Amino acid sequence: GAVVSQHPSRVICKSGTSVKIECRSLDFQATTMFWYRQFPKQSLMLMATSNEGSKATYEQGVEKDKFLINHASLTLSTLTVTSAHPEDSSFYICSARPGTSGGFEQFFGPGTRLTVL
Amino acid sequence: GNSVTQMEGPVTLSEEAFLTINCTYTATGYPSLFWYVQYPGEGLQLLLKATKADDKGSNKGFEATYRKETTSFHLEKGSVQVSDSAVYFCALTSGGYNKLIFGAGTRLAVHP
C-alpha cells in the first residue's frame, strides 16, 4: 500500500526556536497533502491543505505565519513551526492523497510529537 | 457545521467478545463515512468506508452500515482479537472529499 513517512518522529525544542517537520510520500505522487494536529485524547484537527506548487489553504483559526507549509514537490511537504512556544506542543500528523484517480483516500504518516520547553 | 461524535473509551474487552463502537454524525448534504484505525506507533489506516445511505463497509471482520435515518455509522465486530487493540476513528468527508472531519477516537484494548 501507499506509505507516508514523517521526520522526525519526536522533537524537543526550546521556546522561541523554529522546528521543521517533513512529510514524504514514499511510493506515490501526492498532489495534495494535509496537516493535522492532535491533542491528547482528542480528535485530529485539520490545520491546512497544501497542493503542490501553490500556497497552502489554512483552516480558520490557524496562524499562517506561525505554521509555515511548503509543498515544493509531489513527494514532500514541510511544516515549520516558527517561534515555538509550549502551547504548540502537540502531535502533528500529515496525510497525502494520490494525484491520480485515487479519489478521496488519504494516506497518513505516523506523526511527529513536538515538545516545546 | 459538520461533526462526528463517537463513544468515549477506553473500551476493554476479552478476546472473542462482540465489539460495538458508536458513531453519529451531523452533516449537510451526503457525506461519505469512514472508520480509520491507528495501531500503536503507526499512522492512521483506512479500515472501511461507505459512500451512500444503506451501504455496508466491511474489512478484516469489521462492519459498519451507513444509516441516514439515525445519522449513524456504528462499528461492529463479532469476535475481537488481541491484535485489534488500537484507536478507532470515525470520520466523514466534507467539502467535496477534500476534507476529513474526525471523531475523538475510541481506544480499544482486548485482553487474552
Side-chain angles (χ1 to χ4, degrees), chain B residues 6 21 35-37 47 62 75 84 86-90 105-106 108:
Chain B
Q6 60 183 106
I21 300 178
W35 277 100
Y36 281 83
V37 58
L47 180 60
F62 291 90
L75 182 68
D84 293 326
V87 181
Y88 292 82
F89 292 91
C90 186
T106 302
L108 170 65

Side-chain angles (χ1 to χ4, degrees), chain A residues 32 34 36 38 41-44 46 49 59 91 93 97 104-106 108-110, chain B residues 34 36 38 41-44 46 49 51 89 93 97-100 102-105:
Chain A
T32 306
F34 304 85
Y36 296 85
Q38 185 179 26
K41 298 184 180 180
Q42 293 189 29
S43 182
L44 282 75
L46 180 65
T49 302
E59 295 299 302
F91 195 55
I93 301 173
R97 188 166 69 198
F104 57 81
E105 186 165 357
Q106 299 179 25
F108 287 81
Chain B
F34 307 84
Y36 281 83
Q38 186 177 29
E42 299 183 17
L44 275 73
L46 179 62
K49 67 181 187 290
T51 58
F89 292 91
T93 52
Y97 289 152
N98 200 40
K99 300 181 185 180
L100 279 170
F102 288 89

Side-chain angles (χ1 to χ4, degrees), chain A residues 6-76:
Chain A
Q6 280 185 244
H7 177 80
S9 57
R10 282 177 190 273
V11 57
I12 301 172
C13 69
K14 293 182 179 179
S15 186
T17 60
S18 294
V19 174
K20 180 184 285 189
I21 302 170
E22 293 185 348
C23 176
R24 292 181 185 273
S25 56
L26 298 185
D27 50 4
F28 67 97
Q29 293 186 328
T31 54
T32 306
M33 287 185 168
F34 304 85
W35 286 95
Y36 296 85
R37 185 172 178 178
Q38 185 179 26
F39 293 98
K41 298 184 180 180
Q42 293 189 29
S43 182
L44 282 75
M45 300 299 296
L46 180 65
M47 298 174 65
T49 302
S50 74
N51 292 295
E52 186 267 337
S54 62
K55 290 185 178 180
T57 302
Y58 290 81
E59 295 299 302
Q60 192 171 8
V62 177
E63 297 177 60
K64 300 179 183 182
D65 294 332
K66 180 158 194 64
F67 298 100
L68 300 179
I69 291 172
N70 183 282
H71 191 165
S73 79
L74 286 171
T75 59
L76 173 65

Side-chain angles (χ1 to χ4, degrees), chain B residues 4-27:
Chain B
V4 176
T5 302
Q6 60 183 106
M7 63 188 288
E8 289 188 26
V11 174
T12 304
L13 295 173
S14 298
E15 207 165 23
E16 299 184 2
F18 184 85
L19 168 71
T20 299
I21 300 178
N22 291 338
C23 171
T24 57
Y25 67 90
T26 302

